[in-house]
Amino acid sequence: MEKLSLLFTKDGLQYQLARNRNILEENSFFVNEETPADFISAKLDQVLEKKCREIAVYSALNHFTLMPEGFSHHDLGYDLIAYNSPVDRDSEELMLSVNKKFGVQFYYTFPKEFYQKIKSINVPAKFNFSGEKFLNSISAKAGKEIHINLYHHQCEFFALENKKVILYNNLDVNSEVDFLYFVMFTLSKIGFGINETSFFVYGETSENETFISELRKFVKNLKIIFDNIPNRNFILTS
């Protein structure tokens, strides 16, 4: 039986249906000015009709906070997230995702409507935060590194120093130039010099060519690790 993987982003839903390592089906749905308010919800209903034995759910929605592994005051999760973005406790489910490899954990929220739809079909489902999945795939080395995962109109990135997480952020922007500005601004704030920092890029690199070409103008050490080509989505299949 097949495994269904779902990725929720700011304005979209992507899914992949696989049997073992063979990708049987994948598709993406993105909100635009013409789509109805319940567009993603309706698409999720359709996707959940597909026969599968298990579901993997990844949320890249930017309602999150990063804490050291072992932080146990889970009752503060909503309040901590609220420092970064508005939280509606009635419509958002509080989730926890732990990364033992780097000793950090993420509190994040996921829309209760989607959570209940997924749970209601009685198929085993595992939920995770995209940042944790991304971080777990990183092979860090000594020195200062920026790892950037690109989505459709969205990106997330980690700043690492000597294999320790210094910062994580996830932002929704409609301009590739905005991506670049925010990343460069962050570097200046955390004291990462351009020439001493290595940059690694993953995800929708073809869709974000402007960002990458502009980034190359400023940095010396840039490497594209992974490009999402058909049947090879970084988060869904890595």
Side-chain angles (χ1 to χ4, degrees), residues 195-224:
N195 294 331
E196 65 177 349
T197 304
S198 298
F199 290 77
F200 304 91
V201 184
Y202 313 68
E204 301 292 348
T205 61
S206 298
E207 181 178 329
N208 293 280
E209 289 179 351
T210 301
F211 168 80
I212 294 171
S213 63
E214 290 297 315
L215 186 60
R216 287 189 190 278
K217 296 177 183 179
F218 295 94
V219 306
K220 294 193 309 181
N221 307 309
L222 173 63
K223 185 176 182 180
I224 295 176

Side-chain angles (χ1 to χ4, degrees), residues 65 67 71-83 87 89 94 107:
T65 193
M67 300 297 290
F71 181 84
S72 59
H73 297 286
H74 304 314
D75 56 311
L76 297 178
Y78 281 115
D79 294 328
L80 292 168
I81 294 170
Y83 284 112
V87 174
R89 298 181 183 223
L94 180 64
Y107 289 100

Side-chain angles (χ1 to χ4, degrees), residues 58 65-74 94-108 126-137 158 165:
Y58 304 103
T65 193
L66 176 66
M67 300 297 290
E69 182 188 3
F71 181 84
S72 59
H73 297 286
H74 304 314
L94 180 64
M95 316 287 279
L96 174 65
S97 185
V98 179
N99 186 282
K100 294 185 176 296
K101 180 178 176 181
F102 287 90
V104 297
Q105 63 190 43
F106 299 85
Y107 289 100
Y108 67 101
K126 294 181 179 180
F127 294 79
N128 200 359
F129 185 57
S130 65
E132 195 284 324
K133 181 74 181 291
F134 179 29
L135 182 60
N136 209 44
S137 71
F158 283 97
V165 176

Side-chain angles (χ1 to χ4, degrees), residues 9-12 30-33 62 150-155 170-182 207-211:
T9 57
K10 178 198 72 166
D11 59 358
F30 296 106
V31 172
N32 58 44
E33 295 178 354
N62 66 352
L150 298 170
Y151 295 98
H152 176 82
H153 291 170
Q154 189 174 343
C155 79
N170 177 323
L171 58 151
D172 308 334
V173 285
N174 293 319
S175 165
E176 293 168 335
V177 176
D178 289 344
F179 284 180
L180 179 62
Y181 171 80
F182 192 85
E207 181 178 329
N208 293 280
E209 289 179 351
T210 301
F211 168 80

Side-chain angles (χ1 to χ4, degrees), residues 109-176:
T109 62
F110 187 70
K112 284 187 177 180
E113 177 192 1
F114 299 162
Y115 179 82
Q116 291 167 356
K117 284 177 182 285
I118 294 166
K119 297 293 285 185
S120 69
I121 65 172
N122 295 319
V123 172
K126 294 181 179 180
F127 294 79
N128 200 359
F129 185 57
S130 65
E132 195 284 324
K133 181 74 181 291
F134 179 29
L135 182 60
N136 209 44
S137 71
I138 291 174
S139 297
K141 300 177 175 61
K144 298 179 178 180
E145 301 178 344
I146 298 291
H147 295 260
I148 304 170
N149 187 22
L150 298 170
Y151 295 98
H152 176 82
H153 291 170
Q154 189 174 343
C155 79
E156 61 185 344
F157 66 93
F158 283 97
L160 305 179
E161 185 171 10
N162 296 326
K163 302 183 181 181
K164 293 185 178 180
V165 176
I166 304 300
L167 178 131
Y168 168 81
N169 214 333
N170 177 323
L171 58 151
D172 308 334
V173 285
N174 293 319
S175 165
E176 293 168 335

